[in-house]
Amino acid sequence: MKILLESAVNLYYVQTLAMIFFPGERFGKKDEEAVREDEPCLTVRSEEREGGVYALAALDWQGAHSEAEYTAEQTEGRTAERTLKLAVGGAVLAVLGERIGYRPAWGMMIGVRPSKVASEMLNAGISKTRVKKLLTSDYLVIPKKAALATDIAVTEKRIVGNPSPKDCSMYISIPFCPTRCTYCSFVSYTSKRLLSLIPDYLLRLKDDICANVRLANRLGLKIRTLYIGGGTPTILDAEQLRMLLSHIASLINVGTLDEYTMEAGRPDTITEEKMRIAKEYGVTRVSVNPQSLCDDVLCGIGRNHTVEEFFRAFEDARRAELPTVNVDLIAGLPGDNFRRFSSTMDQILQLNPENITVHTFCVKKSAEILRLNADVYSIRGGDAGKCVDYSQIKAHQEGYIPYYMYRQKNTVGNYENVGFSLPGHEGLYNIYMMEEIHTILAAGAGAVTKLVDNTGAHTEHRTIERLFHQKYPYEYLAEDRSQSFAEAAEAFYNEHGML
């Protein structure tokens, strides 16, 4: 797709809007003047006018020319940049929506955090009812999604409260899996050669965790939550898992943590012994993730486990008496449909897990499934919309509340991922990480330390610095970056007056 921009608006913003209607689309370079005969060409113009911004969007495609215009009012409390985006977004959605015959449920809200705008409005003193109306009128979000974003923003505000600059969380990466799911794009490794690195990896990881704890102590930080993710942490055998968790417990008083999560995402790696070890060393939350309760669907996406194995793994977690069990599902998976998904959701609700996270199938450019099925992109998402709606209605009926949400590009139907919780079991790390509430100290290959300046209550534009660990385990083993990370963190906290 070619985009011709005659506006001060950010090009990436326009590209992301266009991808709602042309999922998986690639964009020509700015210096390429020629447009292929079959290539859509989107032209965007904007200009400031008295009281606001006027925008015009034109689409040339399949031998036809279409235009749409939109004007956004400059209102009190709205930045010039936000007004420009509203004008351009309105024009682009109008012209592409008319030609494609599709209205995106989230309107022009393209960001990872759709509740962010609602949070900003609530923090500015705007009522919950008014926030929903503004999301619908200004951002063209359909009413039920506006209500969802607002409700989640209210819940997050209640949970977060007034965060302290001295709060932080810790993330520990185990980037190995028994097999790779066809939709996965995370940094995880499954080959025999890379799995053989696990013993050395754990030794290095222990040093990295020590370095992070020393850093937290020097900076006077209180670790509020700890999250062991992957990959699949339960790919570790029982002895390795005990070694890792006992090491953590020797450095951190895990009993004072607000939450201690360990992903146990693949049922084929879970045993009752591992769950009891997790309980013994203070883990309070585990994720046991089937994605679907249909063996045919699981086989089609490369999940090397059965539905029966999931039920066995879930019972292992229950017998270990872990306080909170999360279950992940994915709506819109290839080969799935509403009948199968609704049956999956109903069966999960019967198990009464404390958390249920419902993702919408997302097509990542590096995922194996694109090689297997190049037509997997879907603008409307087939049954995905019905599945997402069903999950939200049924969760509400069973007493679950939506407590966090995020969205991704190239999600089928442009839908959202939502975490549901029974009251008092909200996944705190998920909120802290997604809403960038406080610093996250990370350890392990592929992990990212995120330094956050949250010195102002309800800061809308936090200063954030990211420090990236090596992507691959063998690179991680070859180079120790803990000293440079510590120096960068101390400089950041000094610069922002947080020490």
Side-chain angles (χ1 to χ4, degrees), residues 127-183:
S127 72
K128 181 178 174 180
T129 300
R130 180 65 176 157
V131 169
K132 294 177 184 178
K133 290 181 178 178
L134 289 173
L135 291 178
T136 302
S137 62
D138 291 4
Y139 293 85
L140 308 181
V141 178
I142 66 173
K144 64 183 176 184
K145 301 301 183 187
L148 177 65
T150 306
D151 289 343
I152 289 176
V154 169
T155 299
E156 289 177 341
K157 185 177 181 180
R158 171 180 57 80
I159 293 171
V160 169
N162 293 312
S164 167
K166 293 299 185 179
D167 288 344
C168 76
S169 290
M170 187 177 295
Y171 178 83
I172 297 171
S173 170
I174 308 293
F176 303 95
C177 285
T179 61
R180 190 176 181 86
C181 303
T182 60
Y183 58 79

Side-chain angles (χ1 to χ4, degrees), residues 304-318:
N304 194 29
H305 66 83
T306 64
V307 172
E308 182 180 352
E309 284 179 298
F310 161 73
F311 284 115
R312 187 267 311 156
F314 186 89
E315 282 305 308
D316 287 342
R318 280 289 186 238

